[in-house]
């Protein structure tokens, strides 16, 4: 369920932790942790917060989008999965998409299209759907990227999630 300021105050109460402080605490825990499993849980948690528009400004202020992008560069496939999941969940907001683009996120998301992890590919396709616009089309609609997306679109019998997302991407950004 999406949140608004009044609902957040009601849920938090007088002595509770504000949303921005809670998110900051998660970022600090991530930065201080050396345990990979703990980092995975934190990024998964942050990724879940990214779907709610109420959190988008906090995510920009706390550099959580950059944290997601950093996770995509890790060798840990779970961090990559949750990082690109966070990007996918947050890039529907144009201000977040702009930050992701300005921080060099498009090549990182494109890289995720060839991941062996199913969810990573799905999140990458979803993110590219929202990141593609007139100013980013040249960077995204390269022949090798389009070839991968067309292959996913044709994979309907093998994986309908890949096929549906890829087909939606092609219909909106290539075939229109």
């Amino acid at each position: 369920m999406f949140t608004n300021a009044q609902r957040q105050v009601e849920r938090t109460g007088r002595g509770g932790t504000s949303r921005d402080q809670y998110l900051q605490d998660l970022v600090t825990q991530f930065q201080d942790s050396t345990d990979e499993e703990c980092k995975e849980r934190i990024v998964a948690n942050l990724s879940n917060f990214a779907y709610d528009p109420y959190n988008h400004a906090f995510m920009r202020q706390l550099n959580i989008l950059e944290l997601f992008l950093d996770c995509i560069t890790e060798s840990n496939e779970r961090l990559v999965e949750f990082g690109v999941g966070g990007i996918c969940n947050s890039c529907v907001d144009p201000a977040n998409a702009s930050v992701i683009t300005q921080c060099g996120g498009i090549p990182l998301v494109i890289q995720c299209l060839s991941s062996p992890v199913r969810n990573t590919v799905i999140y990458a396709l979803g993110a590219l759907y929202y990141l593609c616009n007139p100013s980013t089309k040249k960077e995204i609609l390269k022949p090798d990227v389009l070839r991968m997306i067309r292959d996913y679109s044709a994979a309907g019998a093998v994986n309908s999630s890949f096929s549906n997302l890829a087909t939606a991407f092609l219909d909106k950004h290539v075939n229109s």
Side-chain angles (χ1 to χ4, degrees):
M1 183 169 166
F2 293 135
T3 306
N4 60 41
Q6 181 179 342
R7 178 159 163 67
Q8 188 58 35
V9 168
E10 291 168 0
R11 292 180 71 210
T12 305
R14 281 193 244 173
T17 305
S18 65
R19 179 62 57 89
D20 59 335
Q21 184 58 54
Y22 183 76
L23 293 172
Q24 177 62 66
D25 292 346
L26 286 173
V27 170
T28 301
Q29 287 174 21
F30 179 86
Q31 292 168 335
D32 292 346
S33 180
T34 56
D35 178 15
E36 288 292 305
E37 259 185 62
C38 181
K39 286 184 165 198
E40 292 168 6
R41 281 192 306 272
I42 292 167
V43 175
N45 198 353
L46 288 169
S47 180
N48 286 334
F49 278 103
Y51 85 92
D52 190 340
Y54 179 79
N55 299 318
H56 290 170
F58 301 135
M59 300 194 101
R60 288 189 299 276
Q61 292 166 359
L62 299 171
N63 298 318
I64 293 172
L65 302 171
E66 291 86 344
L67 185 146
F68 290 148
L69 291 172
D70 287 344
C71 288
I72 294 175
T73 67
E74 295 290 327
S75 59
N76 178 329
E77 288 290 345
R78 304 265 299 158
L79 285 177
V80 173
E81 175 187 351
F82 299 139
V84 75
I87 295 297
C88 180
N89 288 345
S90 60
C91 71
V92 297
D93 179 279
N96 287 349
S98 179
V99 170
I100 292 162
T101 301
Q102 291 169 8
C103 290
I106 289 175
L108 296 174
V109 173
I110 289 171
Q111 196 176 291
C112 292
L113 289 174
S114 57
S115 172
V117 178
R118 180 179 183 268
N119 284 341
T120 300
V121 174
I122 289 171
Y123 295 143
L125 285 166
L128 290 173
Y129 179 90
Y130 288 106
L131 290 171
C132 193
N133 61 50
S135 66
T136 61
K137 273 189 172 191
K138 187 175 180 181
E139 187 175 8
I140 294 173
L141 299 181
K142 294 180 179 177
D144 55 328
V145 176
L146 284 175
R147 186 176 347 91
M148 280 195 291
I149 293 174
R150 284 189 175 109
D151 287 347
Y152 286 131
S153 178
V158 177
N159 192 316
S160 61
S161 297
F162 287 1
S163 178
N164 292 342
L165 276 168
T167 300
F169 177 91
L170 293 170
D171 287 347
K172 180 172 183 177
H173 299 294
V174 179
N175 302 333
S176 59

